[in-house]
Amino acid sequence: VQLQASGGGLVQAGGSLRLSCAASGSIFSFNALGWYRQPPGKQRDVVATITSSGRVDYQDSVKGRFTISRDNVKNTVYLQMNGLEPEDTAVYYCNAKRFDGRDSTFYDYWGQGTQVTVSS
């Protein structure tokens, strides 16, 4: 399975961007999809996740500003980012998790990352 992320760019504080992550296969096979980000010099952290049942979770710092969604027909997960702040500057990665019952292990799949830069 390949994940292709897109939609990053340079935006002024207060602006919006929408990230997209297209999967090469059906996203029904994944237990969860998500977006992570890695600011310069820092570790990669989860931003938002959405499960196969539609449950969503967000990092506290983005609640009320970011919205994760999925399109099961287009096999794509989105991250709508509004009210962007300079602190949101990072490389954003999409992630997909699949549970394999044969070895009771979650497997991670990653997109290539897309740069989001928010200027003050």
Side-chain angles (χ1 to χ4, degrees):
V1 176
Q2 292 185 336
L3 302 175
Q4 182 71 37
S6 61
L10 174 63
V11 63
Q12 289 187 335
S16 299
L17 284 174
R18 188 177 80 155
L19 305 183
S20 300
C21 179
S24 59
S26 172
I27 60 175
F28 278 116
S29 64
F30 296 113
N31 298 88
L33 301 163
W35 288 94
Y36 290 65
R37 66 186 180 187
Q38 187 167 16
K42 297 185 179 180
Q43 67 179 15
R44 188 180 302 185
D45 285 329
V46 62
V47 175
T49 59
I50 183 167
T51 68
S52 55
S53 62
R55 173 181 171 176
V56 298
D57 285 295
Y58 297 95
Q59 182 188 104
D60 285 346
S61 66
V62 307
K63 286 181 179 177
R65 299 188 297 124
F66 290 10
T67 303
I68 189 170
S69 62
R70 58 191 291 163
D71 186 325
N72 294 329
V73 174
K74 295 182 178 180
N75 293 316
T76 300
V77 60
Y78 302 98
L79 185 67
Q80 178 65 45
M81 305 185 294
N82 299 327
L84 283 162
E85 304 168 352
E87 294 72 22
D88 296 317
T89 295
V91 178
Y92 284 70
Y93 298 90
C94 58
N95 168 271
K97 294 186 184 296
R98 177 181 290 144
F99 181 74
D100 191 331
R102 294 172 296 181
D103 58 5
S104 299
T105 301
F106 276 100
Y107 288 89
D108 283 293
Y109 301 85
W110 293 95
Q112 84 284 11
T114 184
Q115 177 71 46
V116 172
T117 303
V118 184
S119 62
S120 57

